[in-house]
Amino acid sequence: MKRYLTVAVLLLAAAVLFGAGQRESVQGITLVQNKPEIDAQLQNYGSLWTQNSGIPVTIKSVGGGSGADMGQQLRADFAAGEMPDIFVIAGIEDYKEWESIILDLSGESWNDVTSVAFTHDGRVYGFPVAIEGWGLAYNAKLLQQADIDPAALTSYGAYKAAFEKLNSMKTQLGIDSVVSMAASADMGWVTAHHNFNSLLSNGLPYGDLSVVNDLLAGRVNRQRLSEYADWVELLFRYADRTVLTTGNYDAQVGAFAAGRAVFLHQGNWVDPNMAEAKVTFDMGFAPHGSMHADTDGIFVAAPSFYVINKNSKNIEGAKRFLNDMVYTEAGHEFMVDKALMLPAFTNVDRMPTGQLSRSVQKWAANDKLYSWSQYYFTNEFRDQTLAPIYNQFAAGRINKARFIELMTVAFEGLK
Amino acid sequence: MAARRRLSMTFWIFLAPVLIAFMMVIIIPFFIGVFYSFTDWNATARTGGALQFVGLKNFTDSFSDPAFIHASIMTVIYTVINVFVINVLAVALALVVTSSLRLRNLYRVGFFIPYLIGGLILGYLWQFIFNNAIPAVGGFLPGFGFLADPNNLVLSRVGSSIAALVIVGTWQYVGYIMMIYVAAIEAVPESLYEAARIDGASQWQGFRLIMVPMIAQAFTITMFLTLVNSFKQFDVNYALTAGGPATMFMDKSIFGTELLALNIYRTAFVSNNLAAGQARAVVFFVVLVIITVIQVRINKSKEIEL
């Protein structure tokens, strides 16, 4: 009897295991993305989506200043033969790197409701994750106390006057420094990516690559570079030295959130950080003052795109995942209310809750935008060549003339 | 005869899993790596990316790259200081916890615990201490105002940043090395000291002429471990300084505290030049093997047997 029982139990166990194995045979999809700040929200949305679609989805988040970044993760995955089904590209450089495995998405219906998808040679390849933007984020309350109108901050001259005034009122306003800026070794993306873009596209029509192409060919416009260097110097001079030379993202954003700096050199992705810090003051974006002429606009684009791996075992599932984000209520709720992103799709009518996201939306609605052109330069150039130059300038180890000289040499080396 | 063959068959069969695993995860990848260092491999799906032999180009490029040369120099400096500081401190601590001090076992645990914390976490932790805690202390301790000056931040200069790496590296590793010394010290027979005392030897003579030669075997191990670990330093370097601050070297602006391992990592994954990173890793390996072989020989020659 006992023996029969054992056999029965074994059979039952085998059946259960077999059944479990069967259930898992629905080919799951894997998504690797580079916004750790929305990881929890995306995980939630992913499991919700799995409940509806029956397709398991695994979400991995990388990047954000600590740990490997997106490209490193993908290269490691690719070398290991574990390329995810959906991953993120940032622009043309990334596209070229993965060109051979990126699926053509021209036939997807979400193309009808967006104008910022990633295209190459007339074909659509990338699903815009969100639109994002940065200018110089300002604390409206502090500006008001100092009687400065943020709308007037459109040129180097205006900023210089404003910074000087704010600096003289430090104790009155209760601030440590005028602007919260970071230039330490692991904050190279603030200087050599975002700030660098002011040199490339500020004041130019959207999509104008004239400066980019000149620099890539080693031709430096001395006037433009020198005005830009003035701007960098201004930001560094009125920044808190500790945050500037050794601070990390938390230190930089934290100083602004706590009202200890009037300006913050970051984009609307800090909205969740602001919500977390329970910030009560009003804020918005002002343009960068990297030129002596007026530049009335901020830098806005779809910074990253989901692309589908051509060799995925479940292409239909991956397509459906992206499609559902655009055409389901749950998708809208995730993008706007949960992840606090600015959706790149016109059929989404929810308003973002983050103040900076709203500010970006306002600038976009007025069509006062400048492009993101930093992606035309390789990661190596920005992170290994430019970032140390900014770092030295920030630490005061080189002066402005030397900064201009080193930048010029760097560009001439690109030929 | 047949029985003997069967025995040797059994021998190899039992050894096979280990041998196969060792081949698969160590030997084969190592040779593939060496192979890649002579190519332009970049591990991406870039079209037209067929593997091409480039000869010694990756090596010659590395030796003309200021960042690589600077990283090599910094690594040697860091290693020398680190090996010295860790070993001196570890011997001192080992003497303390093997003495008749009260609570010595508690100290043992205390000194060992940092070793159990991961280097990345340690890096962030100490970053906070250097960037925030020390200036805060300087802010309210009279006479230490200079600590609060942002220009004196430990991590804002190359020299003091390397010192910071040594401090954190030591803090993490000294407990582990101490344990090895403790084991060695406790293995020295008490009778030797007794005999020496009867002959009128002082405490210092007992230490220098009995304990040091008797624990020479431990020195071989600890020197080897600290040397290799300092040379391979990556996680604390990555988390604590990330290579910063930048400095000028050979007319180029580069990261001043980037040690070799971090430099290799960045060459491979930030600059997306995996073959060049691989070439640097091969150089790194060869240098490390030569240095450690010399070190072990020297140490071995000083060992004595009872």
Side-chain angles (χ1 to χ4, degrees):
Chain A
M1 189 59 210
K2 216 171 182 179
R3 194 177 295 161
Y4 288 118
L5 204 67
T6 317
V7 171
V9 166
L10 275 177
L11 277 176
L12 198 68
V16 167
L17 284 175
F18 187 67
Q22 286 289 80
R23 243 198 315 279
E24 270 173 20
S25 74
V26 175
Q27 184 66 47
I29 57 172
T30 305
L31 180 148
V32 172
Q33 62 108 23
N34 58 349
K35 286 178 164 298
E37 65 272 25
I38 61 160
D39 179 66
Q41 293 87 333
L42 190 54
Q43 299 281 3
N44 277 338
Y45 174 68
S47 50
L48 196 70
W49 184 77
T50 301
Q51 280 170 23
N52 293 329
S53 66
I55 304 171
V57 54
T58 311
I59 287 152
K60 290 188 209 160
S61 301
V62 288
S66 58
D69 78 15
M70 188 75 203
Q72 294 157 14
Q73 182 66 43
L74 290 178
R75 269 164 234 140
D77 284 348
F78 184 74
E82 287 167 3
M83 202 61 186
D85 305 281
I86 304 177
F87 58 98
V88 176
I89 61 167
I92 186 71
E93 278 296 318
D94 285 354
Y95 172 76
K96 280 188 205 153
E97 185 172 343
W98 302 108
E99 194 172 6
S100 63
I101 59 162
I102 290 177
L103 188 73
D104 185 344
L105 298 176
S106 306
E108 294 300 294
S109 59
W110 46 258
N111 280 312
D112 303 338
V113 290
T114 185
S115 54
V116 290
F118 179 82
T119 56
H120 187 70
D121 285 343
R123 309 296 297 169
V124 177
Y125 293 99
F127 172 102
V129 176
I131 57 169
E132 281 184 351
W134 75 79
L136 216 52
Y138 60 82
N139 178 329
K141 195 172 125 206
L142 292 174
L143 282 186
Q144 203 185 0
Q145 278 177 32
D147 198 23
I148 293 169
D149 177 13
L153 296 172
T154 51
S155 68
Y156 173 75
Y159 268 108
K160 191 160 187 279
F163 278 21
E164 275 162 8
K165 186 171 181 190
L166 289 164
N167 198 48
S168 68
M169 299 171 70
K170 259 184 177 172
T171 41
Q172 207 177 323
L173 297 171
I175 54 172
D176 296 338
S177 66
V178 176
V179 54
S180 190
M181 178 75 194
S184 68
D186 47 3
M187 295 302 280
W189 53 280
V190 173
T191 50
H193 294 199
H194 297 159
N195 192 267
F196 173 52
N197 187 54
S198 299
L199 172 67
L200 305 175
S201 77
N202 206 12
L204 301 176
Y206 204 84
D208 185 335
L209 293 178
S210 54
V211 175
V212 171
N213 290 334
D214 276 355
L215 290 176
L216 285 172
R219 286 192 303 272
V220 179
N221 178 337
R222 291 206 68 94
Q223 178 60 28
R224 193 177 169 90
L225 180 58
S226 134
E227 286 186 16
Y228 170 70
D230 285 341
W231 169 238
V232 177
E233 190 188 34
L234 189 71
L235 288 172
F236 287 172
R237 180 182 296 158
Y238 291 105
D240 181 78
R241 297 267 310 158
T242 309
V243 175
L244 180 69
T245 54
T246 57
N248 54 18
Y249 179 79
D250 291 338
Q252 191 204 359
V253 176
F256 178 76
R260 286 188 282 108
V262 186
F263 293 98
L264 172 68
H265 193 295
Q266 285 285 359
N268 68 304
W269 51 84
V270 302
D271 269 337
N273 303 86
M274 295 297 143
E276 220 168 274
K278 301 200 169 51
V279 169
T280 52
F281 54 80
D282 287 337
M283 57 186 121
F285 280 117
H288 268 206
S290 73
M291 294 176 70
H292 291 184
D294 278 348
T295 50
D296 194 15
I298 65 168
F299 307 104
V300 176
S304 51
F305 309 89
Y306 288 132
V307 294
I308 295 179
N309 178 358
K310 212 182 256 180
N311 308 325
S312 160
K313 293 197 183 75
N314 194 352
I315 288 181
E316 287 314 311
K319 278 184 172 171
R320 181 167 166 198
F321 183 83
L322 296 184
N323 219 34
D324 284 356
M325 213 185 273
V326 183
Y327 289 113
T328 63
E329 266 310 292
H332 292 186
E333 191 190 358
F334 157 69
M335 285 195 287
V336 183
D337 299 339
K338 296 284 166 56
L340 305 181
M341 299 191 299
L342 275 175
F345 303 97
T346 52
N347 67 327
V348 183
D349 44 19
R350 287 166 192 252
M351 277 290 283
T353 49
Q355 290 194 52
L356 293 174
S357 299
R358 284 193 185 169
S359 179
V360 171
Q361 213 172 35
K362 214 156 94 196
W363 283 101
N366 292 332
D367 208 22
K368 288 181 174 175
L369 307 177
Y370 297 121
S371 26
W372 291 15
S373 304
Q374 72 273 26
Y375 296 116
Y376 289 92
F377 295 81
T378 61
N379 280 326
E380 174 173 29
F381 181 70
R382 288 177 285 156
D383 291 333
Q384 303 285 85
T385 307
L386 295 186
I389 302 177
Y390 283 99
N391 181 269
Q392 277 192 295
F393 191 26
R397 227 167 265 115
I398 57 175
N399 60 19
K400 188 166 72 186
R402 187 86 170 114
F403 173 75
I404 294 175
E405 186 192 325
L406 288 171
M407 293 289 276
T408 308
V409 170
F411 291 126
E412 282 168 357
L414 285 172
K415 261 187 287 211
Chain B
M1 193 64 202
R4 184 127 177 220
R5 195 175 299 137
R6 213 163 41 239
L7 209 64
S8 103
M9 270 288 280
T10 323
F11 171 78
W12 285 109
I13 287 169
F14 273 109
L15 210 55
V18 184
L19 278 182
I20 291 169
F22 186 68
M23 285 290 285
M24 298 300 279
V25 302
I26 309 271
I27 303 291
I28 296 175
F30 176 80
F31 283 104
I32 293 176
V34 173
F35 166 76
Y36 277 143
S37 68
F38 295 101
T39 68
D40 64 352
W41 177 61
N42 65 12
T44 66
R46 214 177 267 271
T47 36
L51 215 54
Q52 294 245 321
F53 269 96
V54 294
L56 290 171
K57 185 171 175 298
N58 288 326
F59 293 90
T60 51
D61 283 357
S62 292
F63 286 116
S64 58
D65 175 12
F68 182 68
I69 299 170
H70 191 267
S72 309
I73 297 170
M74 279 298 157
T75 306
V76 170
I77 295 173
Y78 169 79
T79 303
V80 170
I81 304 175
N82 212 30
V83 167
F84 180 76
V85 173
I86 289 181
N87 281 289
V88 168
L89 266 181
V91 170
L93 292 181
L95 288 175
V96 169
V97 301
T98 51
S99 66
S100 49
L101 204 69
R102 281 179 60 194
L103 298 176
R104 57 180 179 275
N105 286 329
L106 194 70
Y107 292 136
R108 264 187 218 202
V109 176
F111 295 141
F112 190 73
I113 278 178
Y115 181 69
L116 304 176
I117 308 175
L120 284 174
I121 296 167
L122 272 188
Y124 291 120
L125 214 120
W126 279 84
Q127 199 179 45
F128 173 78
I129 294 176
F130 289 128
N131 287 346
N132 303 81
I134 291 182
V137 167
F140 69 80
L141 267 191
F144 286 90
F146 64 94
L147 290 177
D149 181 354
N151 291 314
N152 287 334
L153 280 173
V154 176
L155 299 179
S156 69
R157 289 165 200 213
V158 173
S160 53
S161 293
I162 292 286
L165 284 173
V166 172
I167 292 171
V168 180
T170 305
W171 190 75
Q172 178 186 25
Y173 209 52
V174 75
Y176 182 70
I177 299 301
M178 173 197 80
M179 281 308 202
I180 297 174
Y181 283 124
V182 166
I185 289 172
E186 285 182 339
V188 179
E190 190 60 32
S191 57
L192 292 179
Y193 297 116
E194 256 168 50
R197 250 197 315 279
I198 290 164
D199 289 343
S202 67
Q203 279 276 338
W204 168 246
Q205 281 169 323
F207 169 72
R208 208 180 69 78
L209 299 171
I210 298 173
M211 189 186 287
V212 171
M214 286 303 289
I215 64 171
Q217 274 177 330
F219 277 113
T220 310
I221 302 163
T222 54
M223 291 292 271
F224 175 80
L225 285 176
T226 47
L227 189 74
V228 172
N229 270 295
S230 308
F231 219 78
K232 292 198 304 188
Q233 179 57 269
F234 176 80
D235 46 7
V236 172
N237 189 200
Y238 185 92
L240 185 67
T241 71
T247 186
M248 288 305 282
F249 184 70
M250 289 167 67
D251 268 342
K252 204 169 172 269
S253 195
I254 53 154
F255 286 120
T257 63
E258 194 175 77
L259 300 182
L260 266 178
L262 186 58
N263 179 271
I264 291 170
Y265 165 79
R266 286 199 170 143
T267 306
F269 294 110
V270 175
S271 305
N272 188 21
N273 201 343
L274 275 104
Q278 189 60 52
R280 289 173 188 202
V282 169
V283 173
F284 181 77
F285 171 78
V286 172
V287 171
L288 193 53
V289 166
I290 293 172
I291 293 178
T292 47
V293 163
I294 295 172
Q295 175 262 323
V296 170
R297 284 217 165 170
I298 294 175
N299 273 129
K300 277 266 179 206
S301 70
K302 303 223 162 109
E303 282 179 16
I304 50 161
E305 275 182 45
L306 209 58

